[in-house]
Amino acid sequence: MHEFSVALEICRIAEAQAAPRPASAIVSVGVEIGEGNELVVDNLNFCLETLLSSPPFEKATVTMERVPGNDLRVAWLEVDDGG
């Protein structure tokens, strides 16, 4: 399943960008998916929700938006800074 490997990479990117905070500080992840991209969005969403709801992320959510083009990118992160 190609979407699972893509979801793993999205989680890796989110965790790296949130450093030095623990992955559990990530509240939500925004992903932009190009309309020409051949990913099955429902499958990717399922994989991301599963990965982000388990350790080390602890209940982070995902928001996906379709955009023109073929790109796929982590558009934003919401991180709990404890403040």
Side-chain angles (χ1 to χ4, degrees), residues 14-75:
E15 191 170 16
Q17 292 299 312
R21 295 172 187 88
S24 60
I26 298 173
V27 175
S28 62
V29 179
V31 179
E32 292 181 349
I33 303 170
E35 292 171 347
N37 197 301
E38 294 185 13
L39 291 170
V40 178
V41 176
D42 289 340
N43 290 353
L44 179 60
N45 189 52
F46 175 79
C47 293
L48 279 170
E49 285 179 348
T50 300
L51 290 169
L52 292 171
S53 68
S54 59
F57 295 100
E58 311 291 341
K59 302 177 187 168
T61 61
V62 62
T63 300
M64 289 199 260
E65 179 182 354
R66 289 297 240 169
V67 296
N70 295 323
D71 294 340
L72 170 71
R73 73 183 190 107
V74 176

